[in-house]
Each structure stands twice: as C-alpha cells, then as structure tokens.
C-alpha cells in the first residue's frame, strides 16, 4: 500500500510540474503568444577582398525586413482585434511601436559592432583594379578607406575607397570633360560586371575631374579621388574595379 501511495504521489506531482511548465510557456493559458518570423538569410563564403562584409550587410538587411514585416503584422492584428475599442487599440499600438523601435536599435547595434570588428582588418587594404586604354591617366593606388555604418533610417551598407590618378597623356587630359571623365565598374573573377538582384549593373558614381584637378593633371601632378559602392549580395563574387570611358 505504501508503494502505491508513493507512486500516486509522484504521478500527481509530475502532472502538476508539467502543468506549470506548459503554463509558463503559454501552452495552457489564454494569453497571446508572440511568434517571430524566421530570418531567411544564407551566408556566402568570405570574399578575398571584402572579407565578411557582404554577409554582415545581407544579414542586417534580412533582419531589418523581418522586423518591418513583424511590425506590420502586429499593427494589422491590433487594428482588427480592437476595431471597436479605440482606447485599447491606441494603448496597444504604443507598445507595438516601442517594441519595434527597440528591435530596430538592437539590429543596428549588432550590425555596426560586426562591421567595426570586420573593418579593423580591411581599412587601408588594396583593391585590385585596372584602367581601360585611352583614359589619359592611370590609377596608381586603390584602397578601402571607410564604410558607412547602419542607421535606423537606412538599411544600405556603403563602402568607400580612395584612389590616386596619375596623368599619362597630356593631349587626352586636355580634352577631358570635367563632368564625365570616366566610370568604374565592379567585376568578378571572370571579368563580368556584377549585377544586382534585378539584373542591373551595380550603381557606381562617375569619375569626375574638376577644372583645378584637370589643371593639376596637365602639370603632371597626381590627384586623389574617392569612390563608393553599395554592398549588394553579388559582391560575394567581387574581384576588382575597372576604370572605363563613360
């Protein structure tokens, strides 16, 4: 009889403990449970030049989009649930909005911390490049200079590089259009131009030579310029920059 009582006691205790666990996990109560949308992002191998920057940027964008989707989903559910109770609806929305802003700050902080860590070994690193014939100048140096940190108002990662331009043909330089002296394209290891998710060439800014810079080049001086590009997923295959005619 004693053994049966002990067994019954243990059995009841087990049921009680299980009930507590389920309740604490929301399994047995009426309270709403919050489910987070899965962040879908598949990492690519580290790039030989850019390291893990593409993955950091891609994961950041994926988290940001997921957070925005969750916010819109929660906002819509709140509108539907409290359609006839404006006070409760507004009260709940304030909390939803505050949670969303806090999540955004967390995503930005995590991404920027990862960027800082990665960039420590990339600042000043050489970027391979080539110059198309007939530009009238050559590029003698091209290095990573900085990266724009994320902010809650922007989910793009921009990498900046500096390069030095040296004159090689005074006659061509004399004819340079100061507004459109050249472009640069981002290529992969097979000499193919990198394309974004929509199939467009990666946006790059124009190599513009000002009047004073043109004068410097004519006098044989070397000038320093700055370029940039937004880190799209395709930069996982980035190999070099090519300076070409506009």
């Amino acid at each position: 009889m004693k053994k049966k009582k002990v067994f019954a006691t243990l059995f009841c205790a087990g049921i009680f403990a299980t009930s507590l666990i389920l309740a604490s996990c929301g399994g047995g109560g009426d309270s709403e449970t919050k489910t987070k949308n899965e962040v879908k992002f598949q990492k690519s191998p580290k790039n030989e030049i850019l390291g893990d920057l593409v993955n950091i940027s891609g994961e950041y964008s994926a988290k940001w989009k997921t957070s925005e989707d969750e916010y819109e989903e929660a906002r819509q559910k709140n509108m539907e649930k409290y359609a006839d109770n404006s006070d409760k609806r507004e009260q709940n929305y304030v909390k939803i909005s505050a949670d969303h802003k806090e999540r955004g700050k967390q995503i930005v902080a995590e991404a920027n911390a990862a960027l800082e860590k990665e960039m420590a070994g990339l600042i000043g690193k050489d970027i391979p490049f080539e110059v198309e014939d007939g530009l009238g100048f050559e590029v003698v140096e091209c290095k990573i200079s900085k990266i724009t940190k994320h902010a809650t108002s922007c989910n793009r990662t921009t990498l900046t590089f500096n390069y030095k331009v040296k004159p090689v043909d005074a006659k061509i330089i004399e004819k340079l259009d100061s507004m459109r002296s050249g472009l640069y394209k981002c290529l992969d290891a097979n000499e193919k131009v990198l394309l974004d998710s929509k199939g467009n060439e990666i946006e790059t800014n124009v190599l513009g030579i000002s009047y004073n810079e043109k004068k410097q080049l004519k006098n044989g001086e070397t000038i320093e310029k700055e370029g940039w590009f937004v880190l799209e997923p395709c930069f996982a295959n980035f190999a070099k920059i090519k300076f070409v005619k506009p």
Side-chain angles (χ1 to χ4, degrees), residues 90-160:
E90 180 61 26
Q91 181 183 356
N92 208 41
Y93 173 72
V94 170
K95 185 179 185 309
I96 291 171
S97 181
D99 288 345
H100 175 58
K101 288 181 180 178
E102 191 60 33
R103 176 58 180 152
K105 290 179 181 178
Q106 181 185 354
I107 292 171
V108 168
E110 289 173 354
N112 285 340
L115 285 177
E116 283 189 17
K117 184 178 179 181
E118 189 67 19
M119 285 302 291
L122 296 180
I123 293 293
K125 185 175 181 178
D126 289 322
I127 298 179
F129 63 88
E130 64 177 271
V131 182
E132 186 178 44
D133 292 336
L135 283 182
F137 52 79
E138 64 176 326
V139 176
V140 295
E141 181 181 277
C142 189
K143 295 180 179 290
I144 297 174
S145 58
K146 65 180 178 181
I147 186 168
T148 304
K149 288 185 179 180
H150 298 114
T152 53
S153 59
C154 179
N155 64 352
R156 305 196 312 171
T157 310
T158 305
L159 182 140
T160 304

Side-chain angles (χ1 to χ4, degrees), residues 1-47:
M1 287 294 292
K2 287 184 177 180
K3 287 184 178 180
K4 287 184 178 180
K5 287 183 178 181
V6 170
F7 177 79
T9 302
L10 290 173
F11 180 76
C12 292
I15 293 176
F16 178 71
T18 302
S19 300
L20 285 177
I21 292 172
L22 288 172
S24 65
C25 295
D30 296 328
S31 60
E32 295 181 17
T33 57
K34 294 183 179 180
T35 58
K36 296 292 183 181
N37 294 327
E38 182 183 355
V39 177
K40 296 180 180 179
F41 175 72
Q42 185 171 351
K43 288 190 175 183
S44 57
K46 280 191 176 185
N47 182 269

